[in-house]
Amino acid sequence: MTIIFKNNNVTLKKLKQKNHYELKTDWEKNIKAFWVNFPFPYLKIIDEKINNKNKDSDKKEKKQEEIKTYKIYAESIVPLKEWVKKNKEDYTNAIRLLYDIGNQLQSLEGFSLAVPFLSIDDIIVVNNNDSIHFLYLNDEKVYNFNIKEEITVDKLHKKSKYLSPEIKKENKLPMTIHYKSGLYSLASMVSHILLSTEITKENKDKVLHKINTTKLFWSLKRMLETNPEERYYLII
């Protein structure tokens, strides 16, 4: 069996049976809201199991642990970092990446949850009947934001190329940033994959000028605003 994605809460692996995969998730705390809103319709789930068990966390208090295991059929499921090696600079795929991950971030927003930044390691690519979808899996980077629209990042995460200007200014934990930091990160990732150039605050206008006649141009521009309060996810 091949591991496609793994963190402390999630394991996705390819099974020996052709075109079969297994996704195992641990539904707890704020992570549950992430999975309740996960775009499962993009996956062909052929079996689902729930395992509830008590976990003795501190020898005094027991908490209920809900493990869900999904058996999935797909022509292929691969990490985004592998997929981009053969699929860079494709406009249709860039729109799909922005749409799929943007919708996931938007659904989390409705529950006062956000992802401060994305990494290419966080996303998988699901292919079924020539229909491609991108899914964000890393629930460890899901944070609550407060009434001031701020999230406090208090855990170390793997380094990413796609950081917002406000995160780049910070050099220690905990850091408090606007929840729309994730929108900048997504737009930065999409731009890099499409245009093969890493986006910075200084070069973004020049780099994006290559696609200035497209609707993707305006979507990315809105998400790459330096002021996070002016960032919006909108594809017209």
Side-chain angles (χ1 to χ4, degrees), residues 22-33:
E22 181 185 87
L23 174 66
K24 184 176 289 186
T25 66
D26 185 347
W27 288 35
E28 286 187 19
K29 300 179 182 177
N30 68 324
I31 296 170
K32 186 168 184 176

Side-chain angles (χ1 to χ4, degrees), residues 88-89 190-199 207 210:
K88 285 185 176 182
E89 300 182 353
V190 172
S191 302
H192 185 205
I193 292 173
L194 175 62
L195 302 169
S196 296
T197 304
E198 289 187 31
I199 289 287
V207 173
K210 300 174 185 177

Side-chain angles (χ1 to χ4, degrees), residues 137-185:
L137 283 185
N138 194 356
D139 56 3
E140 291 185 344
K141 290 199 314 201
V142 177
Y143 288 84
N144 288 94
F145 62 84
N146 60 27
I147 195 170
K148 295 180 180 179
E149 301 188 332
E150 295 172 333
I151 58 178
T152 299
V153 179
D154 55 3
K155 296 178 290 187
L156 283 173
H157 297 287
K158 188 175 179 180
K159 191 174 181 180
S160 171
K161 296 179 180 180
Y162 309 116
L163 301 178
S164 64
E166 55 269 27
I167 288 185
K168 288 181 178 179
K169 288 180 182 178
E170 301 288 341
N171 57 12
K172 64 180 180 179
L173 296 176
M175 67 173 73
T176 300
I177 55 174
H178 199 283
Y179 82 92
K180 290 185 179 180
S181 173
L183 293 183
Y184 188 102
S185 182

Side-chain angles (χ1 to χ4, degrees), residues 119-130:
S119 167
I120 201 166
D121 298 313
D122 299 331
I123 297 170
I124 59 169
V125 186
V126 181
N127 185 4
N128 268 319
N129 300 322
D130 294 325

Side-chain angles (χ1 to χ4, degrees), residues 28-182:
E28 286 187 19
K29 300 179 182 177
N30 68 324
I31 296 170
K32 186 168 184 176
F34 173 84
W35 289 108
V36 166
N37 292 279
F38 190 79
F40 283 110
Y42 290 155
L43 300 173
K44 291 184 178 180
I45 297 173
I46 54 181
D47 189 30
E48 178 180 345
K49 294 179 182 178
I50 300 175
N51 179 22
N52 291 311
K53 62 180 180 179
N54 287 323
K55 181 179 179 183
D56 193 349
S57 57
D58 59 3
K59 296 184 179 180
K60 293 181 180 180
E61 181 182 351
K62 289 185 177 181
K63 62 179 180 178
Q64 193 75 1
E65 191 176 63
E66 187 177 53
I67 308 293
K68 291 197 176 184
T69 303
Y70 303 90
K71 194 172 183 181
I72 299 163
Y73 177 89
E75 289 181 21
S76 69
I77 301 179
V78 296
L80 178 61
K81 63 182 177 182
E82 296 297 326
W83 183 86
V84 295
K85 293 176 182 178
K86 297 180 180 179
N87 294 278
K88 285 185 176 182
E89 300 182 353
D90 184 289
Y91 181 85
T92 301
N93 288 334
I95 284 279
R96 173 53 61 184
L97 175 59
L98 186 70
Y99 179 84
D100 284 347
I101 306 302
N103 281 356
Q104 278 190 264
L105 296 181
Q106 193 171 56
S107 69
L108 288 176
E109 182 181 337
F111 291 83
S112 298
L113 296 170
V115 177
F117 65 92
L118 304 171
S119 167
I120 201 166
D121 298 313
D122 299 331
I123 297 170
I124 59 169
V125 186
V126 181
N127 185 4
N128 268 319
N129 300 322
D130 294 325
S131 174
I132 291 177
H133 286 287
F134 301 88
L135 303 179
Y136 175 86
L137 283 185
N138 194 356
D139 56 3
E140 291 185 344
K141 290 199 314 201
V142 177
Y143 288 84
N144 288 94
F145 62 84
N146 60 27
I147 195 170
K148 295 180 180 179
E149 301 188 332
E150 295 172 333
I151 58 178
T152 299
V153 179
D154 55 3
K155 296 178 290 187
L156 283 173
H157 297 287
K158 188 175 179 180
K159 191 174 181 180
S160 171
K161 296 179 180 180
Y162 309 116
L163 301 178
S164 64
E166 55 269 27
I167 288 185
K168 288 181 178 179
K169 288 180 182 178
E170 301 288 341
N171 57 12
K172 64 180 180 179
L173 296 176
M175 67 173 73
T176 300
I177 55 174
H178 199 283
Y179 82 92
K180 290 185 179 180
S181 173

